[in-house]
Amino acid sequence: EQSGVDVRVARIFNTFGPRMNPSDGRVVSNFIVQALQGHDMTIYGDGSATRSFQYVDDLVRGLMALMEGSYDMPVNLGNPEEYSIGQFAKLIHGITHSNSSIKNLPATADDPRQRKPDITVARNNIGWEPRVHVEDGLQHTIRYFQQELRENGEIASTGPGQFAAVTKRNDE
C-alpha cells in the first residue's frame, strides 16, 4: 500500500494480439504485415537473438490475477517459451503461406540478445501462467491483420529508428 492506495507492479513482456497497431514497428506486427503483403520479412542481425511472445488474453488474465490477489511485489507477466527471431519469422511465414523472402539486415547496436521472462513468482504467488500457445495467438492476430488489409489497403511496416503513425479509428 502506498499513500493509502493498493499498488501492484507487473513487468509486461512482449505481448501481441488483434487490434495492435499494424505499423507499430514491433517484430510481430512487422513480420505479419510483411508476410501478408508479400514484402521481404526483415530480420535485424543474424536471427539468433531470442524473444518470448505472449498473447494478449494471457496478459489480461495475469493482470486480473495480480490485481485481485494480495501479492504486492513485482511480477513478470510473459511467456517463457523462447523463439529465435529467425525461427519466429519462419513460423509466421509458414502460417501465412507467404511468398515473401526472409532478409537479414544489419543488427541494431542496442538490441538485446535474449528476452525471456522468469514467471516463477507469477506461478507461485498469483497462480498464473500463459495458456494460449503462440501459434494459436498468431492465427487470431493474422486474421485480424488480413481484415485490416482488406479494409485499409497496404500497410507500411517500420524498422529501427522509425516511428509509426498512430491513427484513431472511427469506431473509437
Side-chain angles (χ1 to χ4, degrees):
E1 200 165 297
Q2 187 174 24
S3 300
V5 177
D6 237 358
V7 176
R8 302 291 185 272
V9 177
R11 183 168 181 230
I12 299 171
F13 285 76
N14 287 337
T15 305
F16 71 95
R19 300 197 46 91
M20 61 190 298
N21 184 338
S23 298
D24 67 5
R26 294 192 287 169
V27 69
V28 176
S29 51
N30 271 358
F31 282 169
I32 292 173
V33 166
Q34 291 167 342
L36 290 175
Q37 296 183 127
H39 298 168
D40 286 343
M41 296 174 67
T42 51
I43 296 174
Y44 296 91
D46 64 6
S48 64
T50 64
R51 299 290 180 271
S52 300
F53 303 95
Q54 73 177 328
Y55 189 62
V56 65
D57 290 4
D58 284 329
L59 173 61
V60 170
R61 275 189 326 89
L63 290 171
M64 296 294 291
L66 180 61
M67 297 309 292
E68 292 172 353
S70 59
Y71 189 76
D72 61 1
M73 297 299 292
V75 174
N76 289 340
L77 296 177
N79 187 337
E81 187 176 348
E82 199 170 17
Y83 291 86
S84 75
I85 297 297
Q87 287 174 312
F88 199 66
K90 289 175 186 170
L91 176 63
I92 290 173
H93 189 271
I95 292 172
T96 59
H97 306 288
S98 179
N99 61 357
S100 297
S101 296
I102 297 175
K103 180 180 177 182
N104 293 77
L105 297 177
T108 56
D110 60 348
D111 197 27
R113 298 289 308 148
Q114 180 183 32
R115 289 187 194 146
K116 179 182 176 182
D118 177 349
I119 63 166
T120 304
V121 170
R123 278 188 183 120
N124 294 342
N125 293 286
I126 64 171
W128 177 87
E129 63 184 338
R131 293 182 187 158
V132 179
H133 293 284
V134 169
E135 290 183 33
D136 295 334
L138 284 172
Q139 295 281 359
H140 293 292
T141 306
I142 288 166
R143 281 194 295 276
Y144 167 77
F145 279 98
Q146 288 169 326
Q147 182 65 34
E148 286 292 300
L149 284 165
R150 278 192 295 278
E151 292 175 7
N152 301 309
E154 183 149 342
I155 297 171
S157 57
T158 59
Q162 297 176 316
F163 298 94
V166 178
T167 56
K168 185 174 181 181
R169 295 170 56 124
N170 291 335
D171 62 342
E172 295 180 317

